[in-house]
Amino acid sequence: MENTHHPLFNWIPVKLIEKDNEIYFEWIYLGDLKYADPFFDETIAKCKSHAFNSKSFKVVSSVENLIEWSDELISVDLKSLVFHVSRCGSTMLSQSLASSSENIMVSEAPLIDQILRRDLFNDDKKSVLIKSVLKLLGQKRFPEQQHLIVKLDAWHIFKASYLRSLFPEIPFGLLYRNPTEVLKSHQKMAGMHMVPHVLPSIIFGISAKEINEISFEQYGGLVLEKYFQGFLDFYKRDTNVVMLNYNEGMKAVLEKFISFIKVDYADDALEKIYDRLKRHSKNQSVVFTGDQFKEEALQIDFSRLDVLHKKLNDSVVAY
């Protein structure tokens, strides 16, 4: 492969750094590791023990360096961006797809979130950076790799229209789940986006006044309402998007998604993808027997969530 002779082979950008009013990108050496862990950060953590990453100094570049270098490496084709509402099977989806050696599966890379949410760049520079970072994360490091699939953070649904402007031909997937099950999962261990003030509430379109008027649990319900509405809004105005319902079963979700993005896997690759569903999404050594939730009732008003959830279900039926 041509990439093997490039000095940046196996190097990827992982972090945006602001210092002395300048912006840099920190890089890390992957060695022979693939993005096989449930989350991108877990793979990066494993890389830190490599000799190239254990030195007292960090490898950094300028913004322009990153953009220029992204055109020097061969990358696989971007096949889809996956949006989700959290605790809805997105990790199982990404882990199943990652089990195919043909796929490069990037799952919630923090650098993508840093670029999308920070107001450090004008729109043109931000757009170039997003494309450049995806090229570098999707560099062809193994001969069998052909497809790049990127699972975004849950709140990136509010950036869907912007991302569509960057990737007008790329299929988008929207994965959701019954709201009670989503919020029951967060009841056990709340994700940071479900906790007031951890992420700026403006991301979700929630005002400070609204936060002060609702309970801690209801805040999570309100965030989920915003996700559901974001899904519905985008689905109405975009024709290259598929709605995926966890409650139809993850095998059905995978079949629908793979068909929609028009990737033809060989039978043995499909067998590996579907076989991964038998194991826990975050721990391959554990057989998945279904989710276990706390018995305590959720102190949440589900009236609006139920209406939005029905609309999502209706859109799936209409597909």
Side-chain angles (χ1 to χ4, degrees), residues 128-181:
V128 172
L129 269 173
I130 289 291
K131 291 180 179 180
S132 297
V133 165
L134 290 185
K135 282 182 184 179
L136 290 162
L137 296 183
Q139 66 174 274
K140 191 176 179 74
R141 299 169 50 233
F142 299 91
E144 63 273 18
Q145 292 178 326
Q146 299 180 46
H147 321 296
L148 173 64
I149 301 168
V150 178
K151 178 171 77 106
L152 299 161
D153 288 300
W155 50 91
H156 290 158
I157 185 56
F158 308 118
K159 299 291 186 181
S161 293
Y162 166 70
L163 291 166
R164 171 57 77 214
S165 72
L166 304 188
F167 306 107
E169 306 299 326
I170 300 300
F172 286 5
L174 307 181
L175 179 60
Y176 74 100
R177 185 180 187 178
N178 177 295
T180 300
E181 294 170 1

Side-chain angles (χ1 to χ4, degrees), residues 223-242:
V223 169
L224 188 56
E225 286 179 23
K226 300 295 186 180
Y227 289 159
F228 280 5
Q229 189 64 60
F231 271 37
L232 288 165
D233 291 344
F234 186 71
Y235 190 74
K236 285 178 184 176
R237 61 178 178 263
D238 197 283
T239 58
N240 195 14
V241 59
V242 62

Side-chain angles (χ1 to χ4, degrees), residues 169-194:
E169 306 299 326
I170 300 300
F172 286 5
L174 307 181
L175 179 60
Y176 74 100
R177 185 180 187 178
N178 177 295
T180 300
E181 294 170 1
V182 173
L183 294 171
K184 273 285 186 180
S185 178
H186 283 288
Q187 184 186 42
K188 290 168 61 177
M189 182 179 291
M192 66 178 184
H193 52 128
M194 293 295 186

Side-chain angles (χ1 to χ4, degrees), residues 151-280:
K151 178 171 77 106
L152 299 161
D153 288 300
W155 50 91
H156 290 158
I157 185 56
F158 308 118
K159 299 291 186 181
S161 293
Y162 166 70
L163 291 166
R164 171 57 77 214
S165 72
L166 304 188
F167 306 107
E169 306 299 326
I170 300 300
F172 286 5
L174 307 181
L175 179 60
Y176 74 100
R177 185 180 187 178
N178 177 295
T180 300
E181 294 170 1
V182 173
L183 294 171
K184 273 285 186 180
S185 178
H186 283 288
Q187 184 186 42
K188 290 168 61 177
M189 182 179 291
M192 66 178 184
H193 52 128
M194 293 295 186
V195 179
H197 308 299
V198 175
L199 287 178
S201 61
I202 193 173
I203 293 173
F204 315 102
I206 298 173
S207 68
K209 182 175 182 293
E210 285 178 292
I211 296 176
N212 292 332
E213 292 175 348
I214 58 178
S215 67
F216 177 91
E217 282 191 329
Q218 191 65 49
Y219 180 81
L222 182 57
V223 169
L224 188 56
E225 286 179 23
K226 300 295 186 180
Y227 289 159
F228 280 5
Q229 189 64 60
F231 271 37
L232 288 165
D233 291 344
F234 186 71
Y235 190 74
K236 285 178 184 176
R237 61 178 178 263
D238 197 283
T239 58
N240 195 14
V241 59
V242 62
M243 197 76 81
L244 305 166
N245 181 2
Y246 172 90
N247 298 105
E248 291 184 344
M250 280 305 300
K251 188 170 188 293
V253 165
L254 276 163
E255 289 172 341
K256 190 173 183 179
F257 179 73
I258 290 169
S259 173
F260 189 75
I261 66 174
K262 295 181 172 61
V263 174
D264 293 320
Y265 295 103
D267 289 344
D268 59 338
L270 282 175
E271 185 176 348
K272 286 183 179 179
I273 288 171
Y274 295 136
D275 190 63
R276 180 64 181 85
L277 297 175
K278 300 174 184 176
R279 319 299 294 184
H280 196 282

Side-chain angles (χ1 to χ4, degrees), residues 11-14 27-28 30 35 40 44 70 73-76 104-112 130-141 145 148 150:
W11 285 91
I12 59 166
V14 292
W27 295 65
I28 200 165
L30 290 171
Y35 311 134
F40 182 84
I44 299 309
S70 71
L73 289 160
I74 296 171
S75 301
V76 304
I104 299 176
M105 183 73 230
V106 175
S107 184
E108 301 183 21
L111 179 57
I112 297 173
I130 289 291
K131 291 180 179 180
S132 297
V133 165
L134 290 185
K135 282 182 184 179
L136 290 162
L137 296 183
Q139 66 174 274
K140 191 176 179 74
R141 299 169 50 233
Q145 292 178 326
L148 173 64
V150 178

Side-chain angles (χ1 to χ4, degrees), residues 90-148:
S90 64
T91 305
M92 181 58 82
L93 177 74
S94 62
Q95 280 286 280
S96 294
L97 292 167
S99 67
S100 169
S101 59
E102 296 177 33
N103 294 332
I104 299 176
M105 183 73 230
V106 175
S107 184
E108 301 183 21
L111 179 57
I112 297 173
D113 184 55
Q114 282 187 301
I115 298 171
L116 281 174
R117 289 205 291 119
R118 304 280 277 278
D119 295 324
L120 298 172
F121 314 101
N122 62 36
D123 288 345
D124 289 342
K125 183 58 66 70
K126 180 177 287 193
S127 298
V128 172
L129 269 173
I130 289 291
K131 291 180 179 180
S132 297
V133 165
L134 290 185
K135 282 182 184 179
L136 290 162
L137 296 183
Q139 66 174 274
K140 191 176 179 74
R141 299 169 50 233
F142 299 91
E144 63 273 18
Q145 292 178 326
Q146 299 180 46
H147 321 296
L148 173 64

